[in-house]
Amino acid sequence: MKRSSVEIITEWDIVAARQLGRNEAKKAGFGTVDQARITTAISELARNIYLYAGKGRIEIERVTDGGKDGIKVVASDEGPGIPDLRKVMEDGFSTSGGLGAGMPGVKRLMDEFKVISEPNNGTTITATKWLH
Amino acid sequence: MPQVVGKQYKEILKKYLESHSEEDLYVGQQFSRRFIEKEIAPEDVISIHKTALLELHPELQDEVWDSLDFLIEMMIHYGFTLRERQSLIRKQEIIQMEMNVATKVQNTLLKTESPIVEGLDVGWISEPARQMNGDYVHFINREHESSVAVADVMGKGIPAALCMSMIKFGMDGLVGENSNPGKALSTINRIVEKSVDDSMFISMFYGKYNSENKMFSYASAGHEPAWHFSNETGTFLELDAKGLLLGVKVDSVYEERSVYMQEGDFIVMMTDGVTETRTEEGFIEMKEIQNLLLEVKEKSASQIAEHVYNNLTEAQNHRLSDDFTIVIFKKK
Ligand SMILES: Nc1ncnc2c1ncn2[C@@H]1O[C@H](COP(=O)(O)OP(=O)(O)OP(=O)(O)O)[C@@H](O)[C@H]1O
Ligand SMILES: [Mg+2]
């Protein structure tokens, strides 16, 4: 399977990650709206890395599962981790307040979403979207 | 995306582009309800629009298509907000259901029976501003004596209600004893001091009517003064007694006083939800409440309580700004 990645160090890298995600989504056959959704999800995850972990990476992979094609995004860092995951996944919790984005928003944009995070041991978020 | 919706949208759009008529705009607006009903995100609406337009006018310039793609991008976050809102509404429904159960539990727990004692007519109303009540009325009957405690937890809603439930257990402990108002308040005060958070303030008025000597004795823990209506003079006398709010000091002492009740006299005990009724013109005057009482002084205690309640809620456009409690002891 093809796999490509972007290191997130500066804010510009968020843009690079978006670009990579959009290209991959297009190649995989997603329509305009889903391309925008996947890109936005990547953007939010990359921004969180940039803001809260300092640095990390976004990997994008084309996946298949029993005839289904899709795209898998892995956002990982070695930052401080997310102390209260349950809270973070609650609606209305993100620091941006009522903008409705944040992690629950990302989860809704994608079909599958998994977070592994340990205090002082970094965060790894895996999100997949399938072609319908 | 549901294909049908896309097709119908195209038809409506086509008609409008030909007619520019208000009628077709109206049809469009009605149709937009379908989008909302089917929880179609704003970015999808634009995509549907783009697809329809592409089929109707493929000759349009690239700027049009590109700008629609840009708009889709712009709308993703609106879609977020919409979905978050839907999920918060579902959450709220669950909380509401729990609240309903909690209210039922509270009502059962805090249930109290109006006293029946020779020569005394009792009427009372206690209505919460929100769902749960932070005011509390509790009656205790002993042979020829009827006691009432009227309490107000500062604050409203759930925290106040939870706190009230605790007071209830303190009150239950009093039933066996021959408590005079001052002594009753110091007992409750000790319980509250031990078990309630420092940030909770509770005021309480404790009154007792003795049908043998027709005396009404009372004590107050920082509560609104009660009023004694004298039928003979047609005037109101304030009944206040010294004492700190409950739970402030372990060994608070509560002054006890008493008045003699003549036929047609009544005592009005309230919480600040009554005296601090706020209308469009500001706080209501004490005089106005007393005038309301005078209008129905001949009526039964329940009718007097209802009259005050009905008029004061009306003055607030039927919305209570604070928990509202009024208790009337009337000498028959
Ligand atoms: N990679 C990460 N490492 C450490 N903490 C993180 C990480 N990602 C998220 N967090 C923590 O989780 C919280 C919630 O993140 P989320 O993206 O949901 O909202 P936000 O970033 O606060 O606001 P916004 O709505 O602008 O995204 C953050 O405030 C941050 O404390
Ligand atoms: Mg964020």
Side-chain angles (χ1 to χ4, degrees), chain B residues 158-209:
Chain B
I158 304 172
L162 286 175
C163 186
M164 226 57 272
S165 307
M166 207 231 43
I167 300 266
K168 145 91 176 158
F169 292 104
M171 302 293 308
D172 285 346
L174 291 175
V175 176
E177 296 175 41
N178 176 19
S179 286
N180 290 320
K183 192 164 159 260
L185 282 187
S186 20
T187 309
I188 299 166
N189 177 58
R190 270 195 301 278
I191 299 167
V192 171
E193 207 276 333
K194 254 190 283 172
S195 32
V196 175
D197 189 82
D198 282 345
S199 62
M200 279 285 186
F201 293 104
I202 304 160
S203 70
M204 184 181 280
F205 189 93
Y206 197 102
K208 184 172 86 173
Y209 176 74

Short mmCIF file of all heavy atoms in Angstrom, two decimals, chain B residues 158-209:
data_model
loop_
_atom_site.label_atom_id
_atom_site.label_comp_id
_atom_site.label_asym_id
_atom_site.label_seq_id
_atom_site.Cartn_x
_atom_site.Cartn_y
_atom_site.Cartn_z
N ILE B 158 -31.05 22.78 40.71
CA ILE B 158 -30.63 21.50 41.27
C ILE B 158 -29.80 21.60 42.56
O ILE B 158 -30.10 20.91 43.52
CB ILE B 158 -29.87 20.67 40.21
CG1 ILE B 158 -30.77 20.52 38.98
CG2 ILE B 158 -29.50 19.31 40.75
CD1 ILE B 158 -30.06 19.89 37.81
N PRO B 159 -28.77 22.47 42.60
CA PRO B 159 -27.97 22.51 43.84
C PRO B 159 -28.84 22.85 45.04
O PRO B 159 -28.71 22.23 46.10
CB PRO B 159 -26.96 23.63 43.58
CG PRO B 159 -26.94 23.83 42.12
CD PRO B 159 -28.27 23.41 41.60
N ALA B 160 -29.72 23.83 44.87
CA ALA B 160 -30.60 24.23 45.97
C ALA B 160 -31.51 23.07 46.37
O ALA B 160 -31.73 22.81 47.56
CB ALA B 160 -31.41 25.44 45.56
N ALA B 161 -31.99 22.36 45.38
CA ALA B 161 -32.92 21.27 45.65
C ALA B 161 -32.25 20.13 46.41
O ALA B 161 -32.81 19.57 47.34
CB ALA B 161 -33.51 20.75 44.34
N LEU B 162 -31.02 19.82 46.02
CA LEU B 162 -30.28 18.75 46.71
C LEU B 162 -30.08 19.13 48.17
O LEU B 162 -30.24 18.32 49.08
CB LEU B 162 -28.92 18.54 46.05
CG LEU B 162 -28.96 17.83 44.70
CD1 LEU B 162 -27.57 17.78 44.09
CD2 LEU B 162 -29.51 16.42 44.87
N CYS B 163 -29.75 20.39 48.38
CA CYS B 163 -29.50 20.88 49.72
C CYS B 163 -30.77 20.78 50.57
O CYS B 163 -30.73 20.39 51.73
CB CYS B 163 -29.06 22.33 49.58
SG CYS B 163 -28.56 23.05 51.10
N MET B 164 -31.89 21.08 49.94
CA MET B 164 -33.18 21.03 50.61
C MET B 164 -33.50 19.63 51.12
O MET B 164 -34.04 19.45 52.20
CB MET B 164 -34.24 21.43 49.58
CG MET B 164 -35.24 22.39 50.05
SD MET B 164 -34.61 23.94 50.66
CE MET B 164 -34.31 23.62 52.33
N SER B 165 -33.13 18.65 50.32
CA SER B 165 -33.43 17.28 50.70
C SER B 165 -32.74 16.95 52.02
O SER B 165 -33.25 16.18 52.82
CB SER B 165 -32.95 16.31 49.62
OG SER B 165 -33.48 16.71 48.37
N MET B 166 -31.59 17.58 52.24
CA MET B 166 -30.87 17.31 53.46
C MET B 166 -31.58 17.91 54.67
O MET B 166 -31.68 17.30 55.73
CB MET B 166 -29.47 17.88 53.32
CG MET B 166 -28.49 17.16 54.17
SD MET B 166 -27.58 18.31 55.11
CE MET B 166 -28.79 19.43 55.66
N ILE B 167 -32.08 19.13 54.47
CA ILE B 167 -32.83 19.81 55.54
C ILE B 167 -33.98 18.92 56.00
O ILE B 167 -34.32 18.84 57.17
CB ILE B 167 -33.43 21.12 55.01
CG1 ILE B 167 -32.36 22.04 54.52
CG2 ILE B 167 -34.30 21.75 56.09
CD1 ILE B 167 -31.87 23.01 55.52
N LYS B 168 -34.57 18.25 55.04
CA LYS B 168 -35.74 17.41 55.31
C LYS B 168 -35.41 16.38 56.40
O LYS B 168 -36.22 16.12 57.29
CB LYS B 168 -36.16 16.75 54.00
CG LYS B 168 -36.71 15.38 54.11
CD LYS B 168 -38.21 15.43 54.27
CE LYS B 168 -38.74 14.01 54.28
NZ LYS B 168 -40.02 13.90 54.92
N PHE B 169 -34.20 15.83 56.35
CA PHE B 169 -33.85 14.83 57.34
C PHE B 169 -33.67 15.47 58.71
O PHE B 169 -33.99 14.87 59.73
CB PHE B 169 -32.62 14.05 56.89
CG PHE B 169 -32.94 13.18 55.71
CD1 PHE B 169 -32.54 13.53 54.43
CD2 PHE B 169 -33.71 12.04 55.89
CE1 PHE B 169 -32.89 12.75 53.34
CE2 PHE B 169 -34.06 11.25 54.80
CZ PHE B 169 -33.65 11.62 53.53
N GLY B 170 -33.19 16.70 58.72
CA GLY B 170 -33.09 17.43 59.97
C GLY B 170 -34.46 17.65 60.58
O GLY B 170 -34.66 17.49 61.78
N MET B 171 -35.41 17.98 59.71
CA MET B 171 -36.77 18.24 60.18
C MET B 171 -37.40 16.98 60.75
O MET B 171 -38.09 17.02 61.76
CB MET B 171 -37.66 18.74 59.04
CG MET B 171 -37.20 19.98 58.34
SD MET B 171 -37.26 21.45 59.38
CE MET B 171 -38.94 21.38 59.95
N ASP B 172 -37.15 15.87 60.07
CA ASP B 172 -37.74 14.61 60.53
C ASP B 172 -37.33 14.29 61.96
O ASP B 172 -38.10 13.74 62.73
CB ASP B 172 -37.34 13.46 59.59
CG ASP B 172 -38.11 13.52 58.29
OD1 ASP B 172 -39.10 14.28 58.24
OD2 ASP B 172 -37.72 12.83 57.33
N GLY B 173 -36.10 14.67 62.30
CA GLY B 173 -35.60 14.41 63.63
C GLY B 173 -36.34 15.20 64.71
O GLY B 173 -36.30 14.86 65.89
N LEU B 174 -37.03 16.26 64.30
CA LEU B 174 -37.71 17.12 65.27
C LEU B 174 -39.06 16.59 65.71
O LEU B 174 -39.59 16.99 66.74
CB LEU B 174 -37.93 18.50 64.65
CG LEU B 174 -36.71 19.37 64.41
CD1 LEU B 174 -37.14 20.63 63.69
CD2 LEU B 174 -36.04 19.71 65.72
N VAL B 175 -39.63 15.70 64.89
CA VAL B 175 -41.02 15.31 65.07
C VAL B 175 -41.33 14.86 66.49
O VAL B 175 -42.29 15.31 67.10
CB VAL B 175 -41.42 14.22 64.06
CG1 VAL B 175 -42.84 13.75 64.32
CG2 VAL B 175 -41.31 14.76 62.65
N GLY B 176 -40.47 14.02 67.05
CA GLY B 176 -40.75 13.48 68.37
C GLY B 176 -40.66 14.50 69.49
O GLY B 176 -41.38 14.44 70.47
N GLU B 177 -39.80 15.48 69.30
CA GLU B 177 -39.54 16.41 70.40
C GLU B 177 -40.61 17.47 70.53
O GLU B 177 -41.30 17.81 69.59
CB GLU B 177 -38.19 17.11 70.16
CG GLU B 177 -37.01 16.18 70.17
CD GLU B 177 -35.74 16.92 69.80
OE1 GLU B 177 -35.55 18.06 70.27
OE2 GLU B 177 -34.94 16.36 69.03
N ASN B 178 -40.68 18.02 71.68
CA ASN B 178 -41.58 19.13 71.89
C ASN B 178 -40.80 20.40 71.62
O ASN B 178 -40.29 21.05 72.53
CB ASN B 178 -42.10 19.10 73.33
CG ASN B 178 -42.97 20.31 73.62
OD1 ASN B 178 -43.47 20.96 72.70
ND2 ASN B 178 -43.13 20.62 74.89
N SER B 179 -40.69 20.75 70.33
CA SER B 179 -39.80 21.84 69.98
C SER B 179 -40.48 23.19 69.94
O SER B 179 -41.50 23.35 69.30
CB SER B 179 -39.19 21.57 68.60
OG SER B 179 -38.23 20.59 68.71
N ASN B 180 -39.85 24.12 70.59
CA ASN B 180 -40.27 25.49 70.41
C ASN B 180 -39.45 26.04 69.25
O ASN B 180 -38.36 25.55 68.97
CB ASN B 180 -40.00 26.28 71.69
CG ASN B 180 -40.96 25.83 72.77
OD1 ASN B 180 -42.14 25.58 72.51
ND2 ASN B 180 -40.45 25.68 73.99
N PRO B 181 -39.98 27.09 68.58
CA PRO B 181 -39.29 27.60 67.37
C PRO B 181 -37.81 27.87 67.55
O PRO B 181 -37.01 27.47 66.72
CB PRO B 181 -40.08 28.87 67.08
CG PRO B 181 -41.45 28.57 67.57
CD PRO B 181 -41.28 27.74 68.79
N GLY B 182 -37.44 28.56 68.64
CA GLY B 182 -36.03 28.89 68.84
C GLY B 182 -35.17 27.65 68.96
O GLY B 182 -34.11 27.54 68.34
N LYS B 183 -35.67 26.68 69.70
CA LYS B 183 -34.92 25.45 69.92
C LYS B 183 -34.85 24.64 68.62
O LYS B 183 -33.81 24.08 68.28
CB LYS B 183 -35.59 24.63 71.02
CG LYS B 183 -34.74 23.49 71.52
CD LYS B 183 -35.25 22.95 72.85
CE LYS B 183 -34.74 21.54 73.08
NZ LYS B 183 -35.73 20.50 72.77
N ALA B 184 -35.96 24.60 67.91
CA ALA B 184 -36.00 23.87 66.64
C ALA B 184 -34.95 24.42 65.68
O ALA B 184 -34.20 23.66 65.07
CB ALA B 184 -37.38 23.98 66.01
N LEU B 185 -34.87 25.74 65.58
CA LEU B 185 -33.88 26.34 64.66
C LEU B 185 -32.45 26.01 65.09
O LEU B 185 -31.61 25.74 64.23
CB LEU B 185 -34.08 27.85 64.56
CG LEU B 185 -35.24 28.32 63.67
CD1 LEU B 185 -35.20 29.84 63.53
CD2 LEU B 185 -35.19 27.68 62.29
N SER B 186 -32.17 26.01 66.41
CA SER B 186 -30.78 25.70 66.77
C SER B 186 -30.46 24.24 66.46
O SER B 186 -29.33 23.94 66.07
CB SER B 186 -30.41 26.05 68.22
OG SER B 186 -31.52 26.18 69.03
N THR B 187 -31.44 23.34 66.60
CA THR B 187 -31.19 21.94 66.24
C THR B 187 -30.91 21.81 64.74
O THR B 187 -29.92 21.20 64.33
CB THR B 187 -32.41 21.07 66.59
OG1 THR B 187 -32.78 21.32 67.94
CG2 THR B 187 -32.10 19.60 66.39
N ILE B 188 -31.76 22.42 63.92
CA ILE B 188 -31.56 22.33 62.47
C ILE B 188 -30.25 22.99 62.08
O ILE B 188 -29.50 22.50 61.25
CB ILE B 188 -32.74 22.99 61.72
CG1 ILE B 188 -34.05 22.26 62.06
CG2 ILE B 188 -32.52 22.94 60.21
CD1 ILE B 188 -35.28 23.03 61.65
N ASN B 189 -29.95 24.10 62.74
CA ASN B 189 -28.70 24.80 62.46
C ASN B 189 -27.48 23.91 62.66
O ASN B 189 -26.56 23.91 61.85
CB ASN B 189 -28.58 26.04 63.35
CG ASN B 189 -27.25 26.75 63.15
OD1 ASN B 189 -26.93 27.17 62.04
ND2 ASN B 189 -26.47 26.87 64.21
N ARG B 190 -27.50 23.11 63.73
CA ARG B 190 -26.35 22.23 63.98
C ARG B 190 -26.20 21.19 62.88
O ARG B 190 -25.10 20.92 62.42
CB ARG B 190 -26.49 21.54 65.35
CG ARG B 190 -25.86 22.36 66.47
CD ARG B 190 -25.68 21.52 67.74
NE ARG B 190 -26.93 20.98 68.23
CZ ARG B 190 -27.78 21.68 68.98
NH1 ARG B 190 -27.51 22.92 69.32
NH2 ARG B 190 -28.91 21.15 69.40
N ILE B 191 -27.32 20.65 62.44
CA ILE B 191 -27.27 19.65 61.36
C ILE B 191 -26.73 20.27 60.08
O ILE B 191 -25.84 19.73 59.43
CB ILE B 191 -28.67 19.06 61.10
CG1 ILE B 191 -29.17 18.36 62.36
CG2 ILE B 191 -28.64 18.10 59.91
CD1 ILE B 191 -30.64 18.03 62.32
N VAL B 192 -27.26 21.45 59.76
CA VAL B 192 -26.83 22.12 58.54
C VAL B 192 -25.36 22.48 58.61
O VAL B 192 -24.60 22.27 57.66
CB VAL B 192 -27.68 23.39 58.30
CG1 VAL B 192 -27.10 24.21 57.15
CG2 VAL B 192 -29.12 23.01 58.00
N GLU B 193 -24.94 22.97 59.76
CA GLU B 193 -23.55 23.38 59.92
C GLU B 193 -22.61 22.20 59.64
O GLU B 193 -21.59 22.35 58.99
CB GLU B 193 -23.33 23.90 61.35
CG GLU B 193 -22.21 24.92 61.46
CD GLU B 193 -20.85 24.28 61.60
OE1 GLU B 193 -20.77 23.14 62.12
OE2 GLU B 193 -19.87 24.90 61.20
N LYS B 194 -23.00 21.02 60.11
CA LYS B 194 -22.17 19.84 59.94
C LYS B 194 -22.14 19.34 58.50
O LYS B 194 -21.12 18.90 58.00
CB LYS B 194 -22.69 18.69 60.83
CG LYS B 194 -21.79 18.45 62.05
CD LYS B 194 -22.20 17.16 62.77
CE LYS B 194 -23.44 17.39 63.59
NZ LYS B 194 -24.05 16.24 64.18
N SER B 195 -23.28 19.40 57.84
CA SER B 195 -23.35 18.66 56.58
C SER B 195 -23.47 19.48 55.31
O SER B 195 -23.44 18.91 54.22
CB SER B 195 -24.50 17.66 56.65
OG SER B 195 -25.53 18.15 57.44
N VAL B 196 -23.63 20.79 55.43
CA VAL B 196 -23.78 21.54 54.18
C VAL B 196 -22.55 22.38 53.88
O VAL B 196 -21.91 22.93 54.77
CB VAL B 196 -25.05 22.41 54.21
CG1 VAL B 196 -25.15 23.27 52.97
CG2 VAL B 196 -26.28 21.53 54.32
N ASP B 197 -22.23 22.42 52.63
CA ASP B 197 -21.12 23.19 52.10
C ASP B 197 -21.17 24.66 52.56
O ASP B 197 -22.24 25.23 52.71
CB ASP B 197 -21.24 23.13 50.57
CG ASP B 197 -20.05 23.71 49.90
OD1 ASP B 197 -19.05 22.98 49.78
OD2 ASP B 197 -20.12 24.89 49.50
N ASP B 198 -19.99 25.24 52.80
CA ASP B 198 -19.94 26.61 53.30
C ASP B 198 -20.55 27.64 52.35
O ASP B 198 -20.94 28.72 52.76
CB ASP B 198 -18.48 27.02 53.56
CG ASP B 198 -17.98 26.43 54.87
OD1 ASP B 198 -18.83 25.99 55.65
OD2 ASP B 198 -16.75 26.43 55.08
N SER B 199 -20.58 27.30 51.08
CA SER B 199 -21.07 28.28 50.12
C SER B 199 -22.60 28.29 50.02
O SER B 199 -23.17 29.09 49.31
CB SER B 199 -20.48 27.98 48.74
OG SER B 199 -20.91 26.72 48.33
N MET B 200 -23.24 27.39 50.74
CA MET B 200 -24.70 27.32 50.70
C MET B 200 -25.28 28.11 51.87
O MET B 200 -24.91 27.87 53.02
CB MET B 200 -25.16 25.86 50.86
CG MET B 200 -25.10 25.08 49.58
SD MET B 200 -26.47 25.60 48.54
CE MET B 200 -26.28 24.44 47.21
N PHE B 201 -26.16 29.02 51.58
CA PHE B 201 -26.80 29.75 52.65
C PHE B 201 -28.28 29.42 52.68
O PHE B 201 -28.95 29.43 51.66
CB PHE B 201 -26.60 31.25 52.48
CG PHE B 201 -25.17 31.64 52.65
CD1 PHE B 201 -24.39 31.94 51.55
CD2 PHE B 201 -24.59 31.67 53.91
CE1 PHE B 201 -23.06 32.28 51.69
CE2 PHE B 201 -23.25 32.01 54.07
CZ PHE B 201 -22.48 32.31 52.97
N ILE B 202 -28.75 29.14 53.89
CA ILE B 202 -30.15 28.77 54.03
C ILE B 202 -30.79 29.66 55.09
O ILE B 202 -30.25 29.81 56.18
CB ILE B 202 -30.29 27.30 54.47
CG1 ILE B 202 -29.57 26.39 53.47
CG2 ILE B 202 -31.76 26.91 54.59
CD1 ILE B 202 -29.25 25.04 54.04
N SER B 203 -31.92 30.25 54.72
CA SER B 203 -32.66 31.01 55.72
C SER B 203 -33.92 30.23 56.05
O SER B 203 -34.42 29.46 55.21
CB SER B 203 -33.02 32.39 55.19
OG SER B 203 -34.00 32.29 54.18
N MET B 204 -34.40 30.39 57.30
CA MET B 204 -35.60 29.64 57.67
C MET B 204 -36.44 30.43 58.66
O MET B 204 -35.91 31.08 59.56
CB MET B 204 -35.22 28.29 58.27
CG MET B 204 -36.44 27.41 58.60
SD MET B 204 -36.00 25.81 59.33
CE MET B 204 -35.54 24.86 57.91
N PHE B 205 -37.73 30.35 58.45
CA PHE B 205 -38.67 30.93 59.41
C PHE B 205 -39.42 29.77 60.04
O PHE B 205 -39.90 28.88 59.33
CB PHE B 205 -39.65 31.87 58.70
CG PHE B 205 -40.51 32.66 59.65
CD1 PHE B 205 -40.12 33.92 60.07
CD2 PHE B 205 -41.71 32.14 60.13
CE1 PHE B 205 -40.90 34.66 60.94
CE2 PHE B 205 -42.49 32.87 61.01
CZ PHE B 205 -42.09 34.13 61.42
N TYR B 206 -39.48 29.77 61.36
CA TYR B 206 -40.15 28.66 62.03
C TYR B 206 -41.28 29.23 62.88
O TYR B 206 -41.07 30.09 63.74
CB TYR B 206 -39.16 27.91 62.92
CG TYR B 206 -39.64 26.53 63.33
CD1 TYR B 206 -39.14 25.39 62.69
CD2 TYR B 206 -40.58 26.38 64.35
CE1 TYR B 206 -39.57 24.13 63.06
CE2 TYR B 206 -41.03 25.12 64.70
CZ TYR B 206 -40.52 23.99 64.06
OH TYR B 206 -40.96 22.75 64.41
N GLY B 207 -42.50 28.79 62.60
CA GLY B 207 -43.65 29.31 63.34
C GLY B 207 -44.45 28.18 63.96
O GLY B 207 -44.47 27.06 63.44
N LYS B 208 -45.09 28.49 65.10
CA LYS B 208 -45.88 27.45 65.75
C LYS B 208 -47.17 28.06 66.31
O LYS B 208 -47.13 29.07 67.01
CB LYS B 208 -45.08 26.81 66.87
CG LYS B 208 -45.81 25.65 67.52
CD LYS B 208 -44.90 24.94 68.49
CE LYS B 208 -44.94 25.61 69.85
NZ LYS B 208 -44.19 24.83 70.85
N TYR B 209 -48.27 27.43 65.98
CA TYR B 209 -49.54 27.91 66.53
C TYR B 209 -50.03 26.94 67.58
O TYR B 209 -50.08 25.73 67.36
CB TYR B 209 -50.58 28.04 65.41
CG TYR B 209 -51.93 28.44 65.95
CD1 TYR B 209 -52.17 29.75 66.37
CD2 TYR B 209 -52.96 27.51 66.06
CE1 TYR B 209 -53.40 30.12 66.88
CE2 TYR B 209 -54.20 27.86 66.58
CZ TYR B 209 -54.41 29.18 66.99
OH TYR B 209 -55.62 29.54 67.50
#
